[in-house]
């Protein structure tokens, strides 16, 4: 094949001189560039330019009568110049070279109205010089206002257009920061190459802080009138006057302002976040949006506000809707009653129907009806859940071995899967003497009897009669299980009979340890979040008593933590702190110490800085448990706030141990006494690293409130998994389970699937449990498949297989109708009792060998306070079920978007009642009804739309 001819290119050693000449020419033309520009300008532009120059000449003449008309004309030309959005308006472009001259001229004028108008025009021109003379726009604006006589008023900033107001707002924020924190707070602009040196120091801006605030209010009013609500809020944040926005919003803008402020809350440091919430609350009340206002009050955990909002509405139907919201958040009913002095009238205040809503009494009935509607009312057997014919085990090895361990797993699976329906075959419907309880050994019997409470969940009437027969059993474990079942049954439901307290109170002092612990924890679970003072007197003595074992003391503290979650109760705090100080080291070294610390921490859930005094006191305790308690108290205080500084502190703690160990080893090699040190090290190490486990969980606790934080923490968990000590690696899967409970996203599932095959069985075990948490109540098919594979993989590892079974039970919890995500109402409000339940269960897994795999597997039932049906049930005004069509789809964040975008994507239309996933949202398909609630979730009362029928007949 012939070669292609190649062209030869000669490369000279020096650059050709021609180009240089051309460039020089270009520079020359730029220097005297007026001529070329004149030629480029169109006729109109040239005319405009000469007119502007003539007006400037007028201002330089001595005849003062010419000033006013010249300034007026300048103002009109600047205001009326419309140009495309992307280019600078022509008058500003032509006037820019004259700006320094005009500034000098301005200084020579005497004080007058003309000078004020001149300052106003300079303020607009200063926008073109904002890079070299910062805050010029603001300076001249304030000068213009100060030069006016008191009788006349300066023109609105909005009259110069949107860009001017935005510019002014940006400079306002800068100026305010400088006045509060000094010049260093705002970086100086870079000096231009050709500018003179003196210009670098910006001229002082006149006016007081109050003037800045007033100008800010004017700008914000303009923003609010022009669909720029986020800009208005941002400006007020910079000026630190967010509370003043309430007076500026109107019926059209308040919704968007509140939505934007709500989104900002998780990104703000304390105490700004609370200020924001209080402002949102004020705005909602201003426009009589009671459900929204009550939602904010619940987030603030402010008893006075909650009572005020609940009683603010005169409409009895609206009150019922608010009562449903309070019942979902498990707010103590006592908070809604007036103070003791007015107690006589307070009793009559709640009619029967509202009390029913507040106490969740109808929850069981509606849940069972919902089950029938969705077609899951029939009980599921264990085989329906395991689907072992699909597993990849070698058959014959594990065929029908009726082992105690497998039966125990079956107990939990049956309890979780058939929870709340009250018809499972193993326990509730079992024939006399053939109950599943007797297929378990010793402590297994306790969990089996307790599973009755889960099967009959929320059904207080029928439930007690079923449980009653086990309370007379001669077998101690069965009796204990029945006590615990009584507590589980009443979780989240209040009854007038107060059955749990009546039945369990006497056994708190029982001599037998199983009965005692069951009674204590039964009370804790039954009254979670109720802040009942009578339980305080019952349980507190056991915490303070040195004579009782650490187990009883710790569980009493935990039960009090459940009951008084988020209350910051001083009496309990001081008693637990006292106990931690007085107990000897041997007792504190026990595995139960962590639950006592957790009991203390739960008192501070969501209280932020209120825990400072407790943290200081804990520092005084000379035992490793003090460190664990500090971390727990801190993360509970800041749970779901997304507080970055706290997360960084926890990450420091996670990375700490490695260096300490290295130093120890160096010290040991230096000294010859290796043996002594080894013993010491063994003793030190155990208590020393538990705190790291809590620190890892703490990262998840703080980040779980908002999506961005949760995503960022995922990356940190990956790093910890790679480089962490065994204790940290063991805790990472639990943290993943906590951060996306009942929310099975693919990345999380894949990560956990990887960890579930880890060579360290403790990691694998926790990862399997976390898979159960992540998929709890979702029936996620992919996850069910993964668990079946794991059942085959671990067929020889009884512990892991036990865990796989439990995870399978969790995934199908309530046959796919019950979730454990602690956030509700569009994932805005956090349920404190749910946090307590999740945290207590996960705490038992920080040392699974000692608790769940030992004889304390009943701790899995702590999840019950977080279990709640994921449904939407629409009711009419008499609280009877009312089927309507709704659209259910993935929730979309539309905050700050223009217009009215869709809030859900990829929706399907269903008849209510419907099931809602964790990240799903519902909206009514037609406008025939108006909902009383602001979020369609849980129980929603509908009102007929009066304007609807007319439209219908019109179409005819």
């Amino acid at each position: 094949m012939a070669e292609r001819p190649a062209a030869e290119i000669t490369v000279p050693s020096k650059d050709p001189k021609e180009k240089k000449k051309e460039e020089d020419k270009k520079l020359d033309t730029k220097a005297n560039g007026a001529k070329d520009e004149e030629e480029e300008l169109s006729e109109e532009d040239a005319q405009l330019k000469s007119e502007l120059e003539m007006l400037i000449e007028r201002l330089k003449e001595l005849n003062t009568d010419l000033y006013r008309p010249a300034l007026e004309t300048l103002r009109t030309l600047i205001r009326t110049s419309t140009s495309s959005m992307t280019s600078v308006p022509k008058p500003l472009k032509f006037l820019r070279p004259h700006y320094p001259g005009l500034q000098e001229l301005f200084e020579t004028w005497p004080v007058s109205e003309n000078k004020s108008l001149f300052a106003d025009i300079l303020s607009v021109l200063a926008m073109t010089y904002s890079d070299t003379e910062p805050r010029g726009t603001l300076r001249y604006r304030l000068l213009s206002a100060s030069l006016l006589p008191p009788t006349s008023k300066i023109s609105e900033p909005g009259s110069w257009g949107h860009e001017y107001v935005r510019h002014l707002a940006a400079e306002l924020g800068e100026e305010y920061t400088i006045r509060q924190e000094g010049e260093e707070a705002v970086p100086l602009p870079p000096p231009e190459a050709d500018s003179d040196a003196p210009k670098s120091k910006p001229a002082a801006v006149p006016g007081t802080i109050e003037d800045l605030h007033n100008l800010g209010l004017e700008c914000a009013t303009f923003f609010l009138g022009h669909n720029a609500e986020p800009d208005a809020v941002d400006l007020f944040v910079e000026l630190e006057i967010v509370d003043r926005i309430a007076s500026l919003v109107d019926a059209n803008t308040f919704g968007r302002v509140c939505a934007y402020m709500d989104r900002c809350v998780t990104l703000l440091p304390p105490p700004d976040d609370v200020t924001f919430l209080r402002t949102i609350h004020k705005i909602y009340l201003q426009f009589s949006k009671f459900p929204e206002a009550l939602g904010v009050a619940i987030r603030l955990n402010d008893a006075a506000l909650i009572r005020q909002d609940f009683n603010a509405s005169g409409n009895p139907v609206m009150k019922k809707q608010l009562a449903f919201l309070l019942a979902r958040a498990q707010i103590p009913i006592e908070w809604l009653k007036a103070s003791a002095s007015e107690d006589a009238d307070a009793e009559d205040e709640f009619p029967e129907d509202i009390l029913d809503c507040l106490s969740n009494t109808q929850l069981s009935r509606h849940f069972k009806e919902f089950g029938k509607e969705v077609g899951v009312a029939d009980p599921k057997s264990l085989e329906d859940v395991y689907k072992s014919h699909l597993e990849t085990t070698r058959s014959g090895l594990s065929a029908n071995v009726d082992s105690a361990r497998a039966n125990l797993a079956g107990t939990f699976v049956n309890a979780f899967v058939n929870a709340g329906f009250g018809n499972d075959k193993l326990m509730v419907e079992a024939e006399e003497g053939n109950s599943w309880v007797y297929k378990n050994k010793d402590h297994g019997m306790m969990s089996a009897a307790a599973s009755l409470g889960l099967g009959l969940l929320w059904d207080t009437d029928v439930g007690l009669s079923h449980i009653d027969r086990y309370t007379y059993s001669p077998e101690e474990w069965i009796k204990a299980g029945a006590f615990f079942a009584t507590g589980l049954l009443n979780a989240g439901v209040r009854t007038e009979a107060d059955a749990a307290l009546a039945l369990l109170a006497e056994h708190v002092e029982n001599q037998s340890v199983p009965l005692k612990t069951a009674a204590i924890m039964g009370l804790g679970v039954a009254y979670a979040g109720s802040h009942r003072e009578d339980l305080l007197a019952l349980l507190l003595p056991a915490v303070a008593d040195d004579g009782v074992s650490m187990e009883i003391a710790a569980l009493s503290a935990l039960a009090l933590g459940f009951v008084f979650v988020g209350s910051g109760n001083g009496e309990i705090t001081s008693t637990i702190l006292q106990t931690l100080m007085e107990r000897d080291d041997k007792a504190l070294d026990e595995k139960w110490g962590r639950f006592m610390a957790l009991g203390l921490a739960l008192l501070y859930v969501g209280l932020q800085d209120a825990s400072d005094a407790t943290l200081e006191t804990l520092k005084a305790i000379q035992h490793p448990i003090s460190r664990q308690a500090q971390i727990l108290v801190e993360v509970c205080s800041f749970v779901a706030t997304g507080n970055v500084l706290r997360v960084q502190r926890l990450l420091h703690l996670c990375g700490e141990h490695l260096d300490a160990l290295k130093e120890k080893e160096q010290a040991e090699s230096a000294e010859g006494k290796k043996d002594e040190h080894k013993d010491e090290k063994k003793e030190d190490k155990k208590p020393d690293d538990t705190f790291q486990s809590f620190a890892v969980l703490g990262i998840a606790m703080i980040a779980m409130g908002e999506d961005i934080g949760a995503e960022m923490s995922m990356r940190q968990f990956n790093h910890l998994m790679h480089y962490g000590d065994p204790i940290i690696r063991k805790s990472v899967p639990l943290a993943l389970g906590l951060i996306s409970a009942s929310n099975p996203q693919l990345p999380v599932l894949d990560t956990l699937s990887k960890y579930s095959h880890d060579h360290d069985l403790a990691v694998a075990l926790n990862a399997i449990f976390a898979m159960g948490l992540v998929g709890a109540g979702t029936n996620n098919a992919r996850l069910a498949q993964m668990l079946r594979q794991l059942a085959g993989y671990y067929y020889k590892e009884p512990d892991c297989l036990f865990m796989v079974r439990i995870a399978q039970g969790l995934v199908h919890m309530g046959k796919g109708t019950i979730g454990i995500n602690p956030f509700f109402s569009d994932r805005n409000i956090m349920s404190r009792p749910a946090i307590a339940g999740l945290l207590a269960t996960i705490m038992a897994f920080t040392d699974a060998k000692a608790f769940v795999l030992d004889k304390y597997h009943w701790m899995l039932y702590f999840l019950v306070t977080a279990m709640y049906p994921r449904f939407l049930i629409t009711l009419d005004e008499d609280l009877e079920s009312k089927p309507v069509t709704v659209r259910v789809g993935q929730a979309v964040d539309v905050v700050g978007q223009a217009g009215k975008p869709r809030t859900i994507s990829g929706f399907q239309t269903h008849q209510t009642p419907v099931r809602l996933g964790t990240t799903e949202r519902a909206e009514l398909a037609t406008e025939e009804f108006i909902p009383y609630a602001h979020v369609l979730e849980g129980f929603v009362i509908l009102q007929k739309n009066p304007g609807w029928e007319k439209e219908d007949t019109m179409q005819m």
Side-chain angles (χ1 to χ4, degrees):
M1 196 173 154
E3 267 191 33
R4 291 170 64 183
E8 277 185 19
I9 299 173
T10 52
V11 181
S13 59
K14 283 186 182 173
D15 282 350
K17 284 185 182 168
E18 279 301 301
K19 270 193 182 168
K20 255 201 172 161
K21 277 183 194 163
E22 272 174 31
E23 275 172 22
D24 290 348
K25 262 188 203 166
K26 266 188 193 167
L27 284 174
D28 278 359
T29 50
K30 264 192 188 170
N32 59 23
K35 284 179 202 162
D36 285 12
E37 218 175 89
E38 290 281 325
E39 286 161 23
E40 283 171 26
L41 291 179
S42 66
E43 211 170 303
E44 283 173 21
D45 290 356
Q47 188 187 344
L48 174 66
K49 189 166 189 224
S50 60
E51 193 175 343
L52 289 169
E53 279 169 352
M54 181 196 71
L55 289 168
I56 288 169
E57 287 309 314
R58 286 246 180 102
L59 295 178
K60 290 179 181 168
E61 287 172 17
L62 295 175
N63 184 351
T64 49
D65 297 345
L66 296 174
Y67 291 173
R68 188 81 193 179
L71 289 168
E72 295 282 357
T73 319
L74 258 180
R75 177 163 72 181
T76 318
L77 282 173
I78 293 175
R79 279 190 185 168
T80 51
S81 72
T82 48
S83 65
S84 72
M85 283 294 285
T86 49
S87 64
V88 181
K90 285 285 181 342
L92 291 187
K93 188 175 168 186
F94 297 146
L95 286 172
R96 188 174 192 272
H98 301 289
Y99 177 66
L102 289 173
Q103 274 181 302
E104 284 160 20
L105 181 62
F106 172 78
E107 299 300 334
T108 60
W109 281 24
V111 174
S112 63
E113 267 197 60
N114 288 350
K115 186 164 182 179
S116 169
L117 181 55
F118 192 7
D120 210 8
I121 290 169
L122 278 178
S123 166
V124 180
L125 292 183
M127 289 202 293
T128 58
Y129 266 82
S130 60
D131 48 350
T132 52
E133 293 187 19
R135 297 183 297 293
T137 305
L138 176 62
R139 177 168 167 255
Y140 282 114
R141 171 80 199 179
L142 290 169
L143 275 174
S144 167
S146 64
L147 293 168
L148 269 184
T151 46
S152 44
K153 199 172 180 305
I154 190 171
S155 61
E156 297 283 313
S159 58
W160 292 107
H162 203 287
E163 191 49 49
Y164 174 72
V165 183
R166 287 184 56 180
H167 214 92
L168 201 53
E171 296 194 353
L172 263 172
E174 264 182 40
E175 177 61 27
Y176 185 81
T177 311
I178 283 177
R179 295 207 181 174
Q180 295 297 325
E181 300 172 17
E183 290 284 348
E184 302 77 44
V186 174
L188 279 175
E192 280 189 10
D194 55 351
S195 70
D196 308 327
K199 273 189 193 169
S200 63
K201 178 93 179 82
V205 176
T208 59
I209 294 278
E210 192 50 40
D211 293 340
L212 296 181
H213 283 170
N214 292 336
L215 186 52
L217 288 169
E218 283 181 41
C219 293
T221 314
F222 174 82
F223 284 141
L224 290 171
H226 291 78
N227 298 330
E229 292 88 353
D231 293 351
V233 176
D234 292 346
L235 174 60
F236 274 7
V237 172
E238 289 196 35
L239 296 179
E240 297 180 353
I241 47 170
V242 156
D243 44 343
R244 290 206 205 168
I245 201 165
S247 56
L248 300 182
V249 292
D250 58 20
N252 300 323
T253 54
F254 84 92
R256 292 168 62 87
V257 167
C258 288
Y260 179 72
M261 287 176 72
D262 198 342
R263 269 284 167 274
C264 296
V265 170
T266 44
L267 308 173
L268 290 168
D272 292 356
D273 48 2
V274 179
T275 317
F276 256 56
L277 284 173
R278 291 199 181 277
T279 309
I280 298 171
H281 181 265
K282 188 167 148 192
I283 295 174
Y284 278 142
L285 272 190
Q286 217 168 292
F287 293 94
S288 300
K289 294 285 181 197
F290 299 117
E292 289 94 327
L294 186 63
V296 176
I298 293 171
R299 285 167 68 184
L300 283 164
N301 201 26
D302 183 326
L305 275 187
I306 291 174
R307 181 166 70 242
Q308 171 199 329
D309 293 351
F310 183 65
N311 297 323
S313 167
N315 179 347
V317 186
M318 175 55 92
K319 269 205 148 141
K320 289 179 200 170
Q321 183 63 68
L322 296 179
F324 278 133
L325 185 59
L326 289 171
R328 172 69 181 95
Q330 294 184 26
I331 295 295
I333 297 178
E334 292 72 30
W335 282 12
L336 304 175
K337 294 184 177 153
S339 54
S341 54
E342 310 149 30
D343 222 351
D345 325 327
E347 286 308 307
D348 313 334
E349 269 179 30
F350 298 135
E352 189 67 27
D353 50 354
I354 286 187
L355 202 59
D356 270 2
C357 303
L358 278 172
S359 313
N360 256 338
T361 346
Q362 300 299 319
L363 181 60
S364 178
R365 176 172 73 85
H366 282 297
F367 178 62
K368 285 174 181 167
E369 282 172 17
F370 167 64
K372 284 195 191 95
E373 287 284 332
V374 191
V376 294
D378 303 333
K380 277 196 164 185
S381 68
L382 297 181
E383 191 41 48
D384 294 340
V385 178
Y386 296 162
K387 301 201 167 107
S388 29
H389 59 281
L390 298 175
E391 282 175 17
T392 48
T393 45
R394 303 152 191 68
S395 58
L397 279 171
S398 57
N400 295 332
V401 182
D402 211 9
S403 75
R405 204 54 186 284
N407 285 0
L408 184 59
T411 303
F412 288 105
V413 173
N414 177 55
F416 285 128
V417 171
N418 295 307
F421 288 103
N423 60 0
D424 68 281
K425 291 277 183 277
L426 296 186
M427 291 294 306
V428 183
E429 305 274 305
E431 297 105 43
E432 194 63 49
N434 196 17
S435 165
W436 185 255
V437 172
Y438 303 109
K439 296 227 171 119
N440 287 283
K441 288 212 300 252
D442 304 343
H443 48 81
M445 286 179 162
M446 177 170 170
S447 284
S451 72
L452 260 180
L454 222 52
L456 296 155
L457 198 54
W458 308 310
D459 188 353
T460 43
D461 307 335
V462 180
L464 286 171
S465 56
H466 274 287
I467 294 170
D468 193 47
R469 62 173 195 240
Y470 290 104
T471 53
Y472 301 114
S473 164
E475 185 69 56
E476 199 173 65
W477 291 105
I478 296 180
K479 210 167 170 179
F483 289 165
F484 196 34
T486 313
L488 295 176
L489 177 71
N490 286 288
V493 182
R494 308 272 172 266
T495 53
E496 273 184 48
D498 248 354
L501 186 59
L503 294 169
L504 301 179
E506 51 181 305
H507 297 289
V508 172
E509 295 299 321
N510 201 309
Q511 290 308 305
S512 143
V513 174
L515 294 181
K516 200 168 182 172
T517 50
I520 290 170
M521 280 329 298
L523 286 170
V525 170
Y527 295 102
S530 69
H531 299 204
R532 291 272 296 262
E533 290 295 333
D534 42 359
L535 290 170
L536 183 93
L538 196 64
L539 296 171
L540 204 52
V543 180
D545 185 358
D546 276 353
V548 299
S549 69
M550 193 63 185
E551 176 182 349
I552 301 291
L555 287 177
S556 301
L558 181 62
L560 285 168
F562 269 100
V563 178
F564 288 89
V565 62
S567 69
N569 185 303
E571 202 179 330
I572 304 174
T573 305
S574 55
T575 309
I576 296 180
L577 285 172
Q578 196 69 26
T579 308
L580 289 175
M581 285 175 181
E582 289 173 0
R583 286 258 172 172
D584 55 359
D585 284 2
K586 190 161 176 290
L588 294 177
D589 283 340
E590 280 184 46
K591 60 183 179 184
W592 292 103
R594 67 193 71 200
F595 281 108
M596 186 167 278
L598 179 62
L600 176 63
L602 291 178
L603 299 174
Y604 289 100
V605 168
L607 293 188
Q608 300 212 6
D609 297 330
S611 60
D612 286 354
T614 308
L615 287 170
E616 287 307 314
T617 318
L618 282 169
K619 286 177 187 165
I621 297 173
Q622 301 294 317
H623 186 273
I625 197 167
S626 123
R627 214 159 171 196
Q628 301 167 23
Q630 281 172 47
I631 291 173
L632 284 173
V633 171
E634 187 174 342
V635 299
C636 282
S637 310
F638 288 90
V639 61
T641 53
N643 189 314
V644 181
L645 297 175
R646 309 276 160 176
V647 174
Q648 288 172 347
R649 201 178 300 174
L650 293 170
L651 283 168
H652 270 296
L653 291 172
C654 293
E656 199 177 272
H657 203 56
L658 305 169
D659 312 339
L661 271 182
K662 272 182 202 157
E663 285 165 19
K664 263 191 194 168
E665 282 164 11
Q666 287 161 5
E668 278 168 26
S669 55
E671 298 163 21
K673 312 170 187 167
K674 274 191 184 167
D675 306 329
E676 287 173 30
H677 270 266
K678 264 185 190 159
D679 299 342
E680 263 180 47
K681 194 173 151 193
K682 264 182 198 162
E683 274 179 27
D684 281 2
K685 189 167 180 282
K686 186 62 191 140
D688 223 348
D689 59 3
T690 317
F691 73 89
Q692 292 188 304
S693 171
F694 300 161
V696 176
L697 295 176
I699 296 170
M701 290 274 292
I702 292 174
M704 74 201 285
E706 33 103 40
D707 299 339
I708 302 169
E711 217 164 286
M712 282 160 40
S713 61
M714 298 296 238
R715 243 182 92 198
Q716 298 302 338
F717 290 145
N718 257 336
H719 294 324
L720 290 175
M721 205 62 187
H722 277 271
Y723 307 113
D725 289 1
I727 182 95
I728 291 179
R729 297 190 68 236
K730 195 166 75 173
S731 315
V732 168
L734 296 175
L736 288 171
L738 184 60
I739 210 163
S740 52
S742 285
N743 185 11
Q745 298 150 316
L746 280 180
V748 184
L749 288 187
D750 289 344
T751 311
L752 286 173
S753 175
K754 188 170 80 194
Y755 296 160
S756 64
H757 294 80
D758 198 272
H759 55 85
D760 179 354
L761 280 185
V763 176
L765 192 90
N766 286 351
I768 296 168
F769 175 63
M771 287 164 96
L773 288 182
V774 170
T778 57
N779 280 352
N780 188 299
R782 184 189 181 115
L783 192 48
Q785 174 60 27
M786 283 180 186
L787 289 168
R788 279 197 296 275
Q789 284 172 342
L790 282 169
Y793 184 76
Y794 283 123
Y795 75 104
K796 276 186 176 167
E797 283 289 344
D799 287 348
C800 291
L801 187 59
F802 174 68
M803 221 55 253
V804 171
R805 294 302 181 213
I806 284 173
Q808 284 176 312
L810 289 173
V811 171
H812 298 286
M813 184 187 280
K815 288 168 254 187
T817 56
I818 297 179
I820 58 168
N821 194 294
F823 295 92
F824 62 97
S825 183
D826 239 349
R827 290 193 296 156
N828 274 333
I829 306 177
M830 174 186 78
S831 158
R832 289 177 165 78
I835 290 282
L838 278 171
L839 204 51
T841 315
I842 283 178
M843 195 53 68
F845 275 89
T846 52
D847 189 355
K849 279 267 185 289
F851 294 108
V852 182
L853 301 177
D854 193 23
K855 50 182 189 226
Y856 302 102
H857 31 72
W858 49 263
M859 288 187 169
L860 284 165
Y861 291 133
F862 286 157
L863 282 176
V864 74
T865 58
M867 287 165 61
Y868 201 85
R870 303 276 334 164
F871 56 31
L872 161 62
I873 293 182
T874 45
L875 309 167
D876 60 17
E877 300 191 351
D878 302 323
L879 302 189
E880 288 308 314
S881 203
K882 173 122 197 130
V884 293
T885 47
V886 291
R887 293 194 279 258
V888 178
Q890 284 298 316
V892 181
D893 185 12
V894 294
V895 174
Q897 288 184 17
K900 289 190 175 172
R902 281 240 166 269
T903 51
I904 57 176
S905 74
F907 57 82
Q908 296 174 322
T909 310
H910 296 286
Q911 277 282 92
T912 58
V914 303
R915 180 196 178 281
L916 292 177
T918 305
T919 54
E920 288 179 332
R921 189 182 282 161
E923 54 184 44
L924 293 175
T926 62
E927 289 180 10
E928 187 179 351
F929 294 98
I930 303 169
Y932 276 94
H934 62 302
V935 176
L936 296 189
E937 202 175 289
F939 296 107
V940 175
I941 305 175
L942 301 177
Q943 171 191 21
K944 190 93 169 120
N945 185 349
W948 171 255
E949 281 153 321
K950 295 168 198 160
E951 286 177 27
D952 226 25
T953 45
M954 270 163 47
Q955 286 168 359
M956 298 284 285

